[in-house]
Amino acid sequence: MEIAMVGLGKMGANMTKRLLQGGHRVVVSDLNEEAVTTAVAEGAIAAASLGALPDLLAAPRAVWVMVPAGDPTESVINTLAAILNPGDIVIDGGNSNYKDTMRRADALQEKGLHFVDVGTSGGVWGLAEGYSMMVGGSDEALAHLRPALETLAPGADLGWGHVGPSGSGHFVKMVHNGIEYGLMQAYAEGFEIMKAKTDFGLDLHQIAEIWRYGSVVRSWLLDLTTNALAGDPELSDIRGWVADSGEGRWTVFEAIDLDVPAPVITASLQARFVSRQGESYAAKLLAAMRNQFGGHAIKKAA
């Protein structure tokens, strides 16, 4: 099939390459001219602008958007809604909030356009391993996109699926990322406990390798942990500062709205906030309170 890819960041560029390797015709658009030039060298067709896309694609057109969530996605989708024709398909493969996705789907439906949300996981490894894709949208749109989805996935019938109507793909991906937060935090805490047991002289890289085979805690995240520990077990070049993409927060908000307890995911999100504090005011106040009621020693600021 033929498809347009708007946004050639790491994931968009790798998805484009995988589609080209699968024999699809791919039209690309990005503000970064170098990224476009690289994609063209690999076999893609360049669109001079978003406005040029309709003339480069046969109907029904399929345009896959891989730009940052929020205003960039909103802007691109609004532009596409104005230039595409009824029956065409807009795909959002980024990490949009599912509520925004549902709103956008309704707006595009009024124009006769299909809107498909594809919650996409796989990161920088997706080119080689394939992408896990959680797809929301109509059966009609999915039928047209199936060849591309089968190419991007780990296998034609593996790692992807139509999970429900518009919004459901991004919702499932949101929960997926919340679970990811909890898994990562558990690994991080476990390895820190072992690192602190200095009298055993534990080799954390060796232990990670042991756990990768046969253990009930083996996983791809553990494989990646092993990679990280291989070169520098002390992680001496890395600050303990951890960002969050927003989907962990959304998962926690949703759990609150649905009255569903999610203590592990919530705690893992809070741990990321803690990682960004150079000095904790709360910890200072705790020390001050202990000093006030019990005369406990406090450490003075340098």
Side-chain angles (χ1 to χ4, degrees), residues 216-248:
V216 295
V217 298
R218 66 188 183 273
S219 71
W220 187 54
L221 280 173
L222 183 60
D223 294 341
L224 299 179
T225 300
T226 306
N227 292 346
L229 292 172
D232 181 10
E234 294 297 321
L235 306 176
S236 56
D237 292 333
I238 300 176
R239 282 184 59 200
W241 192 102
V242 188
D244 71 282
S245 64
E247 294 199 309

PDB file of all heavy atoms in Angstrom, residues 216-248:
ATOM      1  N   VAL A 216      11.403 -15.986  36.866  1.00  0.00           N
ATOM      2  CA  VAL A 216      10.047 -15.457  36.712  1.00  0.00           C
ATOM      3  C   VAL A 216      10.055 -13.942  36.500  1.00  0.00           C
ATOM      4  O   VAL A 216       9.030 -13.370  36.118  1.00  0.00           O
ATOM      5  CB  VAL A 216       9.152 -15.802  37.929  1.00  0.00           C
ATOM      6  CG1 VAL A 216       8.951 -17.300  38.035  1.00  0.00           C
ATOM      7  CG2 VAL A 216       9.733 -15.242  39.219  1.00  0.00           C
ATOM      8  N   VAL A 217      11.176 -13.266  36.751  1.00  0.00           N
ATOM      9  CA  VAL A 217      11.230 -11.815  36.530  1.00  0.00           C
ATOM     10  C   VAL A 217      11.940 -11.469  35.221  1.00  0.00           C
ATOM     11  O   VAL A 217      12.252 -10.306  34.972  1.00  0.00           O
ATOM     12  CB  VAL A 217      11.909 -11.077  37.711  1.00  0.00           C
ATOM     13  CG1 VAL A 217      11.125 -11.283  38.983  1.00  0.00           C
ATOM     14  CG2 VAL A 217      13.364 -11.480  37.872  1.00  0.00           C
ATOM     15  N   ARG A 218      12.198 -12.454  34.373  1.00  0.00           N
ATOM     16  CA  ARG A 218      12.837 -12.154  33.087  1.00  0.00           C
ATOM     17  C   ARG A 218      11.886 -11.334  32.220  1.00  0.00           C
ATOM     18  O   ARG A 218      10.671 -11.518  32.262  1.00  0.00           O
ATOM     19  CB  ARG A 218      13.258 -13.425  32.369  1.00  0.00           C
ATOM     20  CG  ARG A 218      12.131 -14.332  31.905  1.00  0.00           C
ATOM     21  CD  ARG A 218      12.712 -15.655  31.380  1.00  0.00           C
ATOM     22  NE  ARG A 218      11.707 -16.559  30.838  1.00  0.00           N
ATOM     23  CZ  ARG A 218      11.015 -17.438  31.562  1.00  0.00           C
ATOM     24  NH1 ARG A 218      11.227 -17.511  32.867  1.00  0.00           N
ATOM     25  NH2 ARG A 218      10.125 -18.236  30.994  1.00  0.00           N
ATOM     26  N   SER A 219      12.450 -10.411  31.449  1.00  0.00           N
ATOM     27  CA  SER A 219      11.646  -9.558  30.580  1.00  0.00           C
ATOM     28  C   SER A 219      12.571  -8.788  29.654  1.00  0.00           C
ATOM     29  O   SER A 219      13.799  -8.793  29.820  1.00  0.00           O
ATOM     30  CB  SER A 219      10.823  -8.551  31.405  1.00  0.00           C
ATOM     31  OG  SER A 219      11.678  -7.566  31.964  1.00  0.00           O
ATOM     32  N   TRP A 220      11.976  -8.100  28.674  1.00  0.00           N
ATOM     33  CA  TRP A 220      12.763  -7.254  27.779  1.00  0.00           C
ATOM     34  C   TRP A 220      13.376  -6.099  28.557  1.00  0.00           C
ATOM     35  O   TRP A 220      14.504  -5.697  28.290  1.00  0.00           O
ATOM     36  CB  TRP A 220      11.871  -6.735  26.648  1.00  0.00           C
ATOM     37  CG  TRP A 220      12.626  -5.997  25.594  1.00  0.00           C
ATOM     38  CD1 TRP A 220      13.714  -6.431  24.890  1.00  0.00           C
ATOM     39  CD2 TRP A 220      12.338  -4.684  25.105  1.00  0.00           C
ATOM     40  NE1 TRP A 220      14.118  -5.470  23.988  1.00  0.00           N
ATOM     41  CE2 TRP A 220      13.294  -4.384  24.099  1.00  0.00           C
ATOM     42  CE3 TRP A 220      11.371  -3.732  25.416  1.00  0.00           C
ATOM     43  CZ2 TRP A 220      13.295  -3.177  23.406  1.00  0.00           C
ATOM     44  CZ3 TRP A 220      11.373  -2.520  24.721  1.00  0.00           C
ATOM     45  CH2 TRP A 220      12.332  -2.264  23.730  1.00  0.00           C
ATOM     46  N   LEU A 221      12.653  -5.563  29.533  1.00  0.00           N
ATOM     47  CA  LEU A 221      13.210  -4.500  30.357  1.00  0.00           C
ATOM     48  C   LEU A 221      14.453  -4.991  31.106  1.00  0.00           C
ATOM     49  O   LEU A 221      15.417  -4.242  31.284  1.00  0.00           O
ATOM     50  CB  LEU A 221      12.169  -3.996  31.359  1.00  0.00           C
ATOM     51  CG  LEU A 221      11.120  -3.015  30.832  1.00  0.00           C
ATOM     52  CD1 LEU A 221      10.073  -2.753  31.900  1.00  0.00           C
ATOM     53  CD2 LEU A 221      11.763  -1.712  30.381  1.00  0.00           C
ATOM     54  N   LEU A 222      14.451  -6.238  31.541  1.00  0.00           N
ATOM     55  CA  LEU A 222      15.629  -6.794  32.198  1.00  0.00           C
ATOM     56  C   LEU A 222      16.773  -6.950  31.201  1.00  0.00           C
ATOM     57  O   LEU A 222      17.941  -6.718  31.540  1.00  0.00           O
ATOM     58  CB  LEU A 222      15.296  -8.139  32.842  1.00  0.00           C
ATOM     59  CG  LEU A 222      16.435  -8.802  33.621  1.00  0.00           C
ATOM     60  CD1 LEU A 222      16.920  -7.911  34.761  1.00  0.00           C
ATOM     61  CD2 LEU A 222      16.001 -10.155  34.163  1.00  0.00           C
ATOM     62  N   ASP A 223      16.450  -7.332  29.965  1.00  0.00           N
ATOM     63  CA  ASP A 223      17.479  -7.400  28.917  1.00  0.00           C
ATOM     64  C   ASP A 223      18.154  -6.036  28.749  1.00  0.00           C
ATOM     65  O   ASP A 223      19.383  -5.943  28.640  1.00  0.00           O
ATOM     66  CB  ASP A 223      16.863  -7.819  27.578  1.00  0.00           C
ATOM     67  CG  ASP A 223      16.315  -9.240  27.600  1.00  0.00           C
ATOM     68  OD1 ASP A 223      16.701 -10.021  28.490  1.00  0.00           O
ATOM     69  OD2 ASP A 223      15.501  -9.561  26.711  1.00  0.00           O
ATOM     70  N   LEU A 224      17.348  -4.990  28.711  1.00  0.00           N
ATOM     71  CA  LEU A 224      17.885  -3.645  28.536  1.00  0.00           C
ATOM     72  C   LEU A 224      18.674  -3.211  29.770  1.00  0.00           C
ATOM     73  O   LEU A 224      19.679  -2.494  29.658  1.00  0.00           O
ATOM     74  CB  LEU A 224      16.750  -2.661  28.256  1.00  0.00           C
ATOM     75  CG  LEU A 224      15.930  -2.935  26.995  1.00  0.00           C
ATOM     76  CD1 LEU A 224      14.820  -1.899  26.838  1.00  0.00           C
ATOM     77  CD2 LEU A 224      16.811  -2.937  25.757  1.00  0.00           C
ATOM     78  N   THR A 225      18.214  -3.628  30.954  1.00  0.00           N
ATOM     79  CA  THR A 225      18.958  -3.342  32.180  1.00  0.00           C
ATOM     80  C   THR A 225      20.348  -3.970  32.117  1.00  0.00           C
ATOM     81  O   THR A 225      21.354  -3.360  32.502  1.00  0.00           O
ATOM     82  CB  THR A 225      18.192  -3.882  33.405  1.00  0.00           C
ATOM     83  OG1 THR A 225      16.913  -3.257  33.476  1.00  0.00           O
ATOM     84  CG2 THR A 225      18.959  -3.616  34.692  1.00  0.00           C
ATOM     85  N   THR A 226      20.401  -5.198  31.615  1.00  0.00           N
ATOM     86  CA  THR A 226      21.683  -5.882  31.460  1.00  0.00           C
ATOM     87  C   THR A 226      22.604  -5.105  30.530  1.00  0.00           C
ATOM     88  O   THR A 226      23.802  -4.945  30.809  1.00  0.00           O
ATOM     89  CB  THR A 226      21.460  -7.304  30.915  1.00  0.00           C
ATOM     90  OG1 THR A 226      20.536  -7.995  31.752  1.00  0.00           O
ATOM     91  CG2 THR A 226      22.760  -8.088  30.867  1.00  0.00           C
ATOM     92  N   ASN A 227      22.046  -4.606  29.441  1.00  0.00           N
ATOM     93  CA  ASN A 227      22.850  -3.798  28.515  1.00  0.00           C
ATOM     94  C   ASN A 227      23.416  -2.569  29.211  1.00  0.00           C
ATOM     95  O   ASN A 227      24.581  -2.208  29.026  1.00  0.00           O
ATOM     96  CB  ASN A 227      21.996  -3.350  27.327  1.00  0.00           C
ATOM     97  CG  ASN A 227      21.589  -4.492  26.426  1.00  0.00           C
ATOM     98  OD1 ASN A 227      22.142  -5.589  26.514  1.00  0.00           O
ATOM     99  ND2 ASN A 227      20.626  -4.250  25.555  1.00  0.00           N
ATOM    100  N   ALA A 228      22.584  -1.910  30.016  1.00  0.00           N
ATOM    101  CA  ALA A 228      23.009  -0.684  30.693  1.00  0.00           C
ATOM    102  C   ALA A 228      24.118  -0.958  31.702  1.00  0.00           C
ATOM    103  O   ALA A 228      25.025  -0.132  31.891  1.00  0.00           O
ATOM    104  CB  ALA A 228      21.813  -0.027  31.379  1.00  0.00           C
ATOM    105  N   LEU A 229      24.058  -2.122  32.365  1.00  0.00           N
ATOM    106  CA  LEU A 229      25.036  -2.445  33.400  1.00  0.00           C
ATOM    107  C   LEU A 229      26.341  -3.009  32.834  1.00  0.00           C
ATOM    108  O   LEU A 229      27.358  -3.044  33.534  1.00  0.00           O
ATOM    109  CB  LEU A 229      24.442  -3.457  34.376  1.00  0.00           C
ATOM    110  CG  LEU A 229      23.287  -2.961  35.255  1.00  0.00           C
ATOM    111  CD1 LEU A 229      22.672  -4.128  36.020  1.00  0.00           C
ATOM    112  CD2 LEU A 229      23.770  -1.888  36.221  1.00  0.00           C
ATOM    113  N   ALA A 230      26.319  -3.457  31.595  1.00  0.00           N
ATOM    114  CA  ALA A 230      27.480  -4.146  31.022  1.00  0.00           C
ATOM    115  C   ALA A 230      28.719  -3.270  30.979  1.00  0.00           C
ATOM    116  O   ALA A 230      29.807  -3.678  31.378  1.00  0.00           O
ATOM    117  CB  ALA A 230      27.144  -4.664  29.626  1.00  0.00           C
ATOM    118  N   GLY A 231      28.582  -2.058  30.471  1.00  0.00           N
ATOM    119  CA  GLY A 231      29.748  -1.207  30.295  1.00  0.00           C
ATOM    120  C   GLY A 231      30.176  -0.472  31.543  1.00  0.00           C
ATOM    121  O   GLY A 231      31.374  -0.237  31.762  1.00  0.00           O
ATOM    122  N   ASP A 232      29.224  -0.102  32.396  1.00  0.00           N
ATOM    123  CA  ASP A 232      29.523   0.728  33.562  1.00  0.00           C
ATOM    124  C   ASP A 232      28.529   0.400  34.680  1.00  0.00           C
ATOM    125  O   ASP A 232      27.507   1.079  34.833  1.00  0.00           O
ATOM    126  CB  ASP A 232      29.450   2.203  33.182  1.00  0.00           C
ATOM    127  CG  ASP A 232      29.767   3.140  34.348  1.00  0.00           C
ATOM    128  OD1 ASP A 232      30.226   2.636  35.391  1.00  0.00           O
ATOM    129  OD2 ASP A 232      29.543   4.357  34.214  1.00  0.00           O
ATOM    130  N   PRO A 233      28.803  -0.631  35.475  1.00  0.00           N
ATOM    131  CA  PRO A 233      27.861  -1.028  36.538  1.00  0.00           C
ATOM    132  C   PRO A 233      27.556   0.077  37.539  1.00  0.00           C
ATOM    133  O   PRO A 233      26.496   0.067  38.177  1.00  0.00           O
ATOM    134  CB  PRO A 233      28.585  -2.199  37.221  1.00  0.00           C
ATOM    135  CG  PRO A 233      29.520  -2.728  36.183  1.00  0.00           C
ATOM    136  CD  PRO A 233      29.965  -1.536  35.400  1.00  0.00           C
ATOM    137  N   GLU A 234      28.471   1.038  37.686  1.00  0.00           N
ATOM    138  CA  GLU A 234      28.247   2.146  38.618  1.00  0.00           C
ATOM    139  C   GLU A 234      27.384   3.248  38.012  1.00  0.00           C
ATOM    140  O   GLU A 234      26.954   4.163  38.712  1.00  0.00           O
ATOM    141  CB  GLU A 234      29.589   2.741  39.060  1.00  0.00           C
ATOM    142  CG  GLU A 234      30.446   1.793  39.880  1.00  0.00           C
ATOM    143  CD  GLU A 234      29.792   1.416  41.195  1.00  0.00           C
ATOM    144  OE1 GLU A 234      29.166   2.296  41.827  1.00  0.00           O
ATOM    145  OE2 GLU A 234      29.901   0.238  41.597  1.00  0.00           O
ATOM    146  N   LEU A 235      27.142   3.166  36.696  1.00  0.00           N
ATOM    147  CA  LEU A 235      26.368   4.186  35.980  1.00  0.00           C
ATOM    148  C   LEU A 235      26.936   5.580  36.274  1.00  0.00           C
ATOM    149  O   LEU A 235      26.191   6.541  36.518  1.00  0.00           O
ATOM    150  CB  LEU A 235      24.884   4.115  36.357  1.00  0.00           C
ATOM    151  CG  LEU A 235      24.218   2.743  36.176  1.00  0.00           C
ATOM    152  CD1 LEU A 235      22.786   2.776  36.678  1.00  0.00           C
ATOM    153  CD2 LEU A 235      24.260   2.282  34.732  1.00  0.00           C
ATOM    154  N   SER A 236      28.247   5.675  36.231  1.00  0.00           N
ATOM    155  CA  SER A 236      28.933   6.880  36.670  1.00  0.00           C
ATOM    156  C   SER A 236      28.670   8.102  35.805  1.00  0.00           C
ATOM    157  O   SER A 236      28.842   9.234  36.268  1.00  0.00           O
ATOM    158  CB  SER A 236      30.448   6.618  36.730  1.00  0.00           C
ATOM    159  OG  SER A 236      30.927   6.155  35.477  1.00  0.00           O
ATOM    160  N   ASP A 237      28.268   7.895  34.561  1.00  0.00           N
ATOM    161  CA  ASP A 237      28.034   9.026  33.662  1.00  0.00           C
ATOM    162  C   ASP A 237      26.561   9.453  33.601  1.00  0.00           C
ATOM    163  O   ASP A 237      26.183  10.270  32.766  1.00  0.00           O
ATOM    164  CB  ASP A 237      28.507   8.687  32.239  1.00  0.00           C
ATOM    165  CG  ASP A 237      30.023   8.551  32.159  1.00  0.00           C
ATOM    166  OD1 ASP A 237      30.699   9.178  32.987  1.00  0.00           O
ATOM    167  OD2 ASP A 237      30.508   7.820  31.284  1.00  0.00           O
ATOM    168  N   ILE A 238      25.729   8.873  34.455  1.00  0.00           N
ATOM    169  CA  ILE A 238      24.290   9.129  34.395  1.00  0.00           C
ATOM    170  C   ILE A 238      23.815   9.790  35.689  1.00  0.00           C
ATOM    171  O   ILE A 238      24.123   9.310  36.788  1.00  0.00           O
ATOM    172  CB  ILE A 238      23.502   7.820  34.179  1.00  0.00           C
ATOM    173  CG1 ILE A 238      23.926   7.161  32.865  1.00  0.00           C
ATOM    174  CG2 ILE A 238      21.997   8.091  34.191  1.00  0.00           C
ATOM    175  CD1 ILE A 238      23.265   5.815  32.638  1.00  0.00           C
ATOM    176  N   ARG A 239      23.080  10.890  35.564  1.00  0.00           N
ATOM    177  CA  ARG A 239      22.445  11.502  36.730  1.00  0.00           C
ATOM    178  C   ARG A 239      21.174  10.742  37.083  1.00  0.00           C
ATOM    179  O   ARG A 239      20.494  10.221  36.200  1.00  0.00           O
ATOM    180  CB  ARG A 239      22.073  12.960  36.438  1.00  0.00           C
ATOM    181  CG  ARG A 239      23.212  13.963  36.497  1.00  0.00           C
ATOM    182  CD  ARG A 239      22.664  15.370  36.284  1.00  0.00           C
ATOM    183  NE  ARG A 239      21.660  15.716  37.297  1.00  0.00           N
ATOM    184  CZ  ARG A 239      20.758  16.693  37.150  1.00  0.00           C
ATOM    185  NH1 ARG A 239      20.718  17.412  36.042  1.00  0.00           N
ATOM    186  NH2 ARG A 239      19.894  16.955  38.122  1.00  0.00           N
ATOM    187  N   GLY A 240      20.852  10.706  38.361  1.00  0.00           N
ATOM    188  CA  GLY A 240      19.615  10.053  38.788  1.00  0.00           C
ATOM    189  C   GLY A 240      18.405  10.953  38.629  1.00  0.00           C
ATOM    190  O   GLY A 240      17.663  11.186  39.590  1.00  0.00           O
ATOM    191  N   TRP A 241      18.209  11.471  37.445  1.00  0.00           N
ATOM    192  CA  TRP A 241      17.120  12.408  37.126  1.00  0.00           C
ATOM    193  C   TRP A 241      16.246  11.742  36.085  1.00  0.00           C
ATOM    194  O   TRP A 241      16.713  11.427  34.993  1.00  0.00           O
ATOM    195  CB  TRP A 241      17.712  13.707  36.589  1.00  0.00           C
ATOM    196  CG  TRP A 241      16.766  14.871  36.483  1.00  0.00           C
ATOM    197  CD1 TRP A 241      16.665  15.922  37.332  1.00  0.00           C
ATOM    198  CD2 TRP A 241      15.799  15.125  35.442  1.00  0.00           C
ATOM    199  NE1 TRP A 241      15.701  16.811  36.917  1.00  0.00           N
ATOM    200  CE2 TRP A 241      15.148  16.343  35.746  1.00  0.00           C
ATOM    201  CE3 TRP A 241      15.406  14.442  34.293  1.00  0.00           C
ATOM    202  CZ2 TRP A 241      14.147  16.887  34.954  1.00  0.00           C
ATOM    203  CZ3 TRP A 241      14.395  14.974  33.496  1.00  0.00           C
ATOM    204  CH2 TRP A 241      13.789  16.189  33.835  1.00  0.00           C
ATOM    205  N   VAL A 242      14.985  11.476  36.419  1.00  0.00           N
ATOM    206  CA  VAL A 242      14.119  10.690  35.543  1.00  0.00           C
ATOM    207  C   VAL A 242      12.905  11.512  35.106  1.00  0.00           C
ATOM    208  O   VAL A 242      12.146  12.006  35.946  1.00  0.00           O
ATOM    209  CB  VAL A 242      13.637   9.403  36.235  1.00  0.00           C
ATOM    210  CG1 VAL A 242      12.904   8.511  35.240  1.00  0.00           C
ATOM    211  CG2 VAL A 242      14.822   8.652  36.855  1.00  0.00           C
ATOM    212  N   ALA A 243      12.737  11.656  33.813  1.00  0.00           N
ATOM    213  CA  ALA A 243      11.595  12.386  33.254  1.00  0.00           C
ATOM    214  C   ALA A 243      10.369  11.479  33.198  1.00  0.00           C
ATOM    215  O   ALA A 243      10.449  10.268  33.432  1.00  0.00           O
ATOM    216  CB  ALA A 243      11.937  12.901  31.859  1.00  0.00           C
ATOM    217  N   ASP A 244       9.227  12.052  32.906  1.00  0.00           N
ATOM    218  CA  ASP A 244       8.037  11.245  32.607  1.00  0.00           C
ATOM    219  C   ASP A 244       7.355  11.848  31.397  1.00  0.00           C
ATOM    220  O   ASP A 244       7.312  13.061  31.226  1.00  0.00           O
ATOM    221  CB  ASP A 244       7.085  11.176  33.805  1.00  0.00           C
ATOM    222  CG  ASP A 244       6.380  12.484  34.091  1.00  0.00           C
ATOM    223  OD1 ASP A 244       7.019  13.385  34.672  1.00  0.00           O
ATOM    224  OD2 ASP A 244       5.199  12.600  33.726  1.00  0.00           O
ATOM    225  N   SER A 245       6.842  10.984  30.530  1.00  0.00           N
ATOM    226  CA  SER A 245       6.255  11.429  29.267  1.00  0.00           C
ATOM    227  C   SER A 245       4.855  11.997  29.442  1.00  0.00           C
ATOM    228  O   SER A 245       4.323  12.639  28.539  1.00  0.00           O
ATOM    229  CB  SER A 245       6.205  10.261  28.274  1.00  0.00           C
ATOM    230  OG  SER A 245       5.346   9.244  28.769  1.00  0.00           O
ATOM    231  N   GLY A 246       4.250  11.746  30.595  1.00  0.00           N
ATOM    232  CA  GLY A 246       2.880  12.217  30.838  1.00  0.00           C
ATOM    233  C   GLY A 246       1.882  11.087  30.940  1.00  0.00           C
ATOM    234  O   GLY A 246       0.848  11.218  31.607  1.00  0.00           O
ATOM    235  N   GLU A 247       2.169   9.956  30.300  1.00  0.00           N
ATOM    236  CA  GLU A 247       1.178   8.884  30.289  1.00  0.00           C
ATOM    237  C   GLU A 247       1.045   8.190  31.635  1.00  0.00           C
ATOM    238  O   GLU A 247      -0.011   7.664  31.973  1.00  0.00           O
ATOM    239  CB  GLU A 247       1.517   7.874  29.186  1.00  0.00           C
ATOM    240  CG  GLU A 247       1.377   8.490  27.799  1.00  0.00           C
ATOM    241  CD  GLU A 247       1.244   7.450  26.726  1.00  0.00           C
ATOM    242  OE1 GLU A 247       2.070   6.538  26.695  1.00  0.00           O
ATOM    243  OE2 GLU A 247       0.302   7.560  25.912  1.00  0.00           O
ATOM    244  N   GLY A 248       2.129   8.193  32.440  1.00  0.00           N
ATOM    245  CA  GLY A 248       2.018   7.672  33.798  1.00  0.00           C
ATOM    246  C   GLY A 248       1.065   8.512  34.628  1.00  0.00           C
ATOM    247  O   GLY A 248       0.251   7.995  35.394  1.00  0.00           O
TER     248      GLY A 248
END
